[in-house]
Amino acid sequence: MKKVKLVLVLGLAVVLVAAFVLPGCAPPKEEVEPIKIGCSLALTGKYSWTGERYKEGLLVWQTQVNERGYSSGLEWCGHTEPGLIDGRPVEVIIYDDKSDPATGVKLYHKLITEDKVDLCFGPYSSAIAKAISTVVERYEMPTASCGASDPGIWGGNNLQWMVQGMQPTDEYFPGVADIAAKMGAKTAAIIHEDTAFPISLMNSFRGQLEAKGIEVVLCEAYPKGITDWTPILTKAMAAKPDVVGIGGYEPDSIGLTKAAQALKADAGIFVWTVGAGAPTYVEAVGDACYAMCCESLWEGILDTPGNEEYLEATYRIAGLPPEKHEYHTTFGYLAGQLMEIAVKEVGAIDKEAIRDTLFEMEVETVYGPYKVLPLDSPDSGFQTASKGLLIQWQPKKVGVEYPPGQVIIGDWVKEVIYPYELATAEPIWPHPGWD
Amino acid sequence: MMISVDRDEEGRLKDGKNVLEVQNVTKEFGSLVALNNVSIWIEEGKITGLIGPNGAGKTTLFNVITGQFRADKGKVFFRGKDITKLKPYQIARRGIGRTWQVIRIFPNMTVLENLMTAANLRERNAGEKALELLELAGLVAEKDSYAGELSTGQQKFLELVRILMFDADVMLLDEVAAGINPTEQLAALELIHNLCDQKGKTFFIVEHDMDVIMGHCDKVICLNFGEKIAEGTPKEVQNNEKVIRVYFGA
Amino acid sequence: MNKSDKLRLAEKFKTDKRLWLYAIAVIVVALLIALPRIVSPYLCSVVFLMFIYIAYAEAWNIMTGFTGYINFGFSVFAGIGGYASAILIIDHGIWWPVGWLLGGVFASIGALILGSFMLRLRGSYFAIGMLCLLLAAPVLATTEYLIPLTHGGYGFQFVQPVSDLTMYYSAFFISAATVFVAYKIITSSFGAKLLAIREDEEGAGSIGINTTKEKISAFAISGFFAGLAASVFFAFQNYIDPSSAFSAWYNSLPIIMVLLGGIGTLWGPVVGAVIMTFVEEFFWSVLPETYFMACGAVIVLLVLLLPGGIITWFKSRGILPRTRAI
Amino acid sequence: MELLIIALVEGILLGSVYGLGAMGLSLIFGIMRIINLVHGEFLMLGAFTCFWLWFLLGMNPIGATFVAMLVIAALAAFLYKVAIFRVVGKFPLLSRVLTFGLAIFLWNFSEFAFGSTFRSVNYPTGSIGFLGSYLSVNKIICFVVALIIAGVLFASLKWTRIGKALRAASQNPRVALISGINIHRIRLLSYAMGGALAGIAGGLIAIQWAIYPSIGQILILKCFAMVALGGLGSLPGALLGGVFLGIAESVGTMYWGATIAGVIAPLTVIAVFIFRPQGLWGVVERVD
């Protein structure tokens, strides 16, 4: 029996040695292979709706670049032969992370080490971006994150490889405080879901309101998965606020609007996040969307380079009509464009140089201006240039010719009311009632 | 035989020498009185039988003694100590083991594992002890079979020796001879006698088979509608009028 | 080694099938130890998760498979462990191995406290009660009383000072330890007592088993390994928030795995975890859009076709010995 | 005080719809002794059936709710015939995992088929004044529908032959079997009825709230809470449990905040289980 054990131990040793000696054989590289850019998105699970939009945008960008060598509005980047650089096409590898942070981490390992992607895009939702930031940092992979707005991801972490392409949450409710102060509002109520993104959003909103001298009389969190909003809204309305700010996701905005309608809630202005800007919102609540405000991060009517062309391309490639456009799609497109600019600027797939460019460049994309804090800043990678918009659903005016990028659902038009220089309409204040 | 110097007027041993004493126990289920002021005592090293028609409260009495039910009134003493309020497992650990009317071995465990369940955690050679007991029960060959696959008789033996695994001194057997063939019955009774005579174990058995009761018990107690109606040697009980009336409806 | 020795050895292998099993086991263990040197870090992270799954599944099995108390609130203990270790290591600067261990200890204490009143419930009551606990846990973590500790719904982003390789070996060690402890339990009289509780709790009491104590011990052991594995899992995830800590999906996963492998057996959870890891990987790469759906379908088919799990099926066919240990 | 009354009324309106869904779960549990984890998906599919009928065919949502009832009942019967009957009366974990697998399948199937977009039936009917606040007429309609359905159900359980058989089977399956009731038919019927109740509750949910494929996961947990409060297997208990939960959520939200309200339900369940295992109004019976 002792000898048997000896044999087993020897066997173990042989296997171990073999395992360590055998090198991980890499296949020979082909010369013209696509430039691979990877990302994981929430294609199933609770964030899947937004994940799908993000994916659309990425695919539109990929198609455009592979067709003609540049995407809408970026002719100035040069390289007009098909492909990103050197005639190499782009291949965006998209995996589904099931809206689960751990799966996201696993997938970024896969993208970087197994698929050997050249560059990365960030995932959707702040929670998953928080989880994967460590991975891309460790593998030193330049990453354009355009689906995570929580400043906490960058704040104080001195990230070296991941940049924020979209606005941070501080930019989500621009001008509400300003408009409200102008209209003489005194009090505000805030209701928000108790998860990372709404919390950080509402904290900054609260600061903006207080800075304008508006008192926040109620700030209440609700847990995820609530179904009936009437009680919480009744409570909020009992405080008689002039401004009602609501932070949550898509289903919440429908439920809360319906509750507000049922309660005939009376306030100066209602501001919602995420859900209320979407066409499906208007379909679901109908006329109750009248004068509802929502943050918007991008609109088709903006005067950014290539915006009109981008709208056409999305219609052609992703089948999304301009009047039903949604800024979440533009997230993906933005991520693509940022990489495109950086890669073309560097002229090669040189990770470090691309990273440096991403951190240094100051450009205009379809999405708008882009600039992040430099590498030596404690909050490096944090977006500073991109500004948010405020939109309001207003009735369609008879005899008015709307520009092609304007979102029109039935009788309702999505009008930009802030910043004033971009506004397409005057804000409706106070809320006109429910009849 | 019953009367001797150190017994009280009711015939029970004085100075707590009865291994098990039930004093004036009453147990009610709603309006049904399952046990009404029952007092019995069991002597060490003897086989005591418990008889009575269906619904007389025999199993309830067992359940009260082993702590499955708590008596509404009255007390149960084991070796002079009050065990009325103890939990079933504590009573078992004091040394009272029982079997059930419906066999309650663990069918999805092997025979050996069934015995191991009853082993004391601190006991070093529990395995050897289990094998010894299996030998006693004639089940060594079946030690790795699932208990559910054994014959009824074998299951009864298993249930019996499982009690021995934790060294119970008093064994309450509920219908040990029911549902098994005569050969096994004889073997079981022989085992009981052996344990009684050689190891000084005490048995308290519920039995319907009068032959078993009359031929093997030292003392018999008869219950009817929750009340003790007779007590004494098998012969005395057999000739007791009340018992006859209960059994033969005369 | 001379010729006759070799001959004897060959005979030995022929006659004793278990020796082959040992040989295979040794090779598998060696491969797993060497894996980070052979394959890509991605595959390693898959195997890493597999180890975590094994530990989860075996820990769940210790509770439910052995005692029969259906624990639908497994994530509660994983969440407690994950939170405890993250808070201790990051906010209080405790050395990470100690932090992980304490994660397990806290989960174990949680299991002890929760168990001491939840385990009074039986059958469906216990199952639903645990489910309600799972439902309450993430909300409790966001109440104002716990926010200073848990950082609330905002989540808690951290980087533990541990390399991927360390995490891989730690997970390997933890899963091995869990299986080893499960083996020790199932071959001891403690294990026999737990099985007795599963079979017939009242009957178990009548043969001197302190059922309350035994099942709470099982609960605490199960909680310890759940918390320990979760500590490493959340170190891998670098992030913890109430919804991922008390996740419904990671609550269900061990249940599926154990059922797939064979509930109440030692190797069932391991087999189930290994298979599920690769089934998930396979469906995920072949059917990116519908693989969740496919997973659901696989579960349904498994229950209908293999209700006892793989190990039990092999046992009933006589392919595997029936002793508990295998 | 007015706020409290409003909260109570809102709670009752909300709870009636909750209770309808929970009654289905309780019915299935009472007769088959399985925890029907697919119930949440029944609710979700009922909601979507109602939505699509309204959206595509322009049907009246209340009418569509009744169609949804039939559709989900048929689906439930189909699932019972194909799979569920195989696990009834077996080791409880089997049915749990089977229904869990079905739930995952149906949920992701809906996500695949309908997309994960949130939707809602837009059926505005206005509001009526109430103590200085307003109540949605929609909710009152839903409440009335829920009451009618519950009433019809209770009446048929009490007076029809099949209803008596159902009750008998619920109280003691074995006795029912002996007394000549075809237990398989009864189980099929009860499962379909459970599905029907979920279908109708789902339709009412689609009218009031936003729906999306994963809503079933949220709803089923609430259903558990209600069933547990009312006593497993008890139908009036489930309805009362629903009302209790509705009131707890609504009053709790107004007085202690939504987060605290969120834990009221599960913690009450645990407390009820420990101190009063038959539920608050439950029929006294042992369930293992």
Side-chain angles (χ1 to χ4, degrees), chain A residues 201-220:
Chain A
L201 175 65
M202 286 302 154
N203 282 342
S204 84
F205 184 46
R206 189 179 190 151
Q208 291 167 23
L209 287 169
E210 278 162 358
K212 292 279 180 188
I214 298 170
E215 189 197 352
V216 178
V217 286
L218 178 124
C219 183
E220 175 128 347

Side-chain angles (χ1 to χ4, degrees), chain A residues 217-343:
Chain A
V217 286
L218 178 124
C219 183
E220 175 128 347
Y222 59 84
K224 207 165 58 184
I226 197 170
T227 40
D228 190 50
W229 281 270
T230 321
I232 197 166
L233 202 67
T234 310
K235 185 180 181 184
M237 298 319 295
K240 305 231 176 294
D242 297 319
V243 179
V244 179
I246 292 152
Y249 289 91
E250 294 87 353
D252 312 11
S253 54
I254 294 179
L256 272 159
T257 309
K258 285 191 160 193
Q261 186 184 21
L263 289 174
K264 300 194 184 229
D266 177 32
I269 196 167
F270 290 92
V271 196
W272 316 80
T273 42
V274 184
T280 34
Y281 169 77
V282 180
E283 282 164 13
V285 304
D287 296 347
C289 74
Y290 187 15
M292 290 299 161
C293 294
C294 181
E295 100 292 347
S296 173
L297 304 180
W298 171 89
E299 282 301 320
I301 45 167
L302 289 182
D303 189 22
T304 51
N307 214 348
E308 269 180 51
E309 197 191 346
Y310 161 69
L311 289 174
E312 274 167 37
T314 5
Y315 187 51
R316 180 170 59 84
I317 297 163
L320 193 68
E323 72 275 8
K324 290 203 166 181
H325 216 89
E326 244 280 316
Y327 67 76
H328 292 101
T329 310
T330 326
F331 283 174
Y333 199 75
L334 164 70
Q337 288 207 316
L338 292 179
M339 275 302 175
E340 183 182 349
I341 297 170
V343 168

Side-chain angles (χ1 to χ4, degrees), chain B residues 68 88-89 92-93 96-98 100 104 106-110 113 116-121 144 146 149 162 166, chain C residues 186 189-190 192-193 195-196 198-200 202-211 213-214 315 322-324:
Chain B
Q68 259 80 30
Y89 78 90
R93 285 185 184 179
I96 301 179
R98 74 170 294 185
W100 306 75
R104 288 182 100 154
F106 308 125
N108 297 318
M109 298 166 74
T110 66
E113 282 168 345
M116 295 302 284
T117 57
N120 192 325
L121 270 182
D144 287 329
Y146 287 128
E149 294 167 352
R162 196 175 59 184
F166 61 91
Chain C
I186 208 165
S189 59
F190 172 52
K193 286 175 166 53
L195 294 177
R198 182 184 76 183
E199 297 283 300
D200 177 354
E202 203 185 356
S206 79
I207 53 171
I209 299 174
N210 184 351
T211 51
K213 192 189 109 197
E214 309 293 349
K315 277 185 177 179
R322 276 164 155 201
T323 21
R324 277 300 150 191

Side-chain angles (χ1 to χ4, degrees), chain A residues 3-4 98 100 110 138, chain C residues 5 9 42 164 250 280 291:
Chain A
K3 283 191 175 150
V4 178
K98 306 184 272 189
D100 171 39
K110 180 178 172 68
R138 194 181 306 141
Chain C
D5 269 355
L9 194 70
Y42 166 65
D164 280 0
Y250 287 100
E280 217 187 325
Y291 90 103

Side-chain angles (χ1 to χ4, degrees), chain A residues 414-428:
Chain A
K414 200 195 224 179
E415 302 274 15
V416 177
I417 55 170
Y418 190 89
Y420 302 123
E421 62 272 18
L422 297 175
T424 55
E426 284 291 306
I428 297 174

Side-chain angles (χ1 to χ4, degrees), chain B residues 33-89:
Chain B
V33 183
L35 290 176
N36 189 6
N37 203 17
V38 171
S39 298
I40 57 167
W41 52 94
I42 311 263
E43 286 175 39
E44 186 140 26
K46 299 274 171 65
I47 302 175
T48 308
L50 180 61
I51 58 170
N54 285 329
K58 302 183 298 280
T59 303
T60 310
L61 180 60
F62 270 27
N63 282 338
V64 167
I65 294 172
T66 56
Q68 259 80 30
F69 297 155
R70 188 164 290 177
D72 297 328
K73 278 182 212 143
K75 288 196 162 144
V76 182
F77 291 95
F78 177 66
R79 295 194 188 286
K81 290 199 177 116
D82 188 356
I83 57 164
T84 322
K85 288 185 178 157
L86 296 185
K87 295 207 169 94
Y89 78 90

Side-chain angles (χ1 to χ4, degrees), chain C residues 1 9 14 30 60 70 78 124 126 147 171 206 229 309 319 321:
Chain C
M1 191 185 285
L9 194 70
K14 240 186 241 165
W60 190 79
I70 301 174
S124 301
F126 178 77
I147 283 179
S206 79
I319 298 169

Side-chain angles (χ1 to χ4, degrees), chain C residues 174-252:
Chain C
I174 288 169
S175 68
T178 316
V179 176
F180 178 72
V181 167
Y183 170 78
K184 276 288 171 201
I185 290 175
I186 208 165
T187 51
S188 71
S189 59
F190 172 52
K193 286 175 166 53
L194 294 181
L195 294 177
I197 292 172
R198 182 184 76 183
E199 297 283 300
D200 177 354
E201 189 163 349
E202 203 185 356
S206 79
I207 53 171
I209 299 174
N210 184 351
T211 51
T212 316
K213 192 189 109 197
E214 309 293 349
K215 63 197 184 189
I216 290 179
S217 317
F219 215 48
I221 294 172
S222 164
F224 175 77
F225 285 105
L228 192 59
S231 304
V232 187
F233 176 78
F234 286 106
F236 171 78
Q237 183 172 304
N238 310 314
Y239 175 69
I240 188 166
D241 65 357
S243 65
S244 65
F246 306 107
S247 133
W249 174 243
Y250 287 100
N251 186 48
S252 311

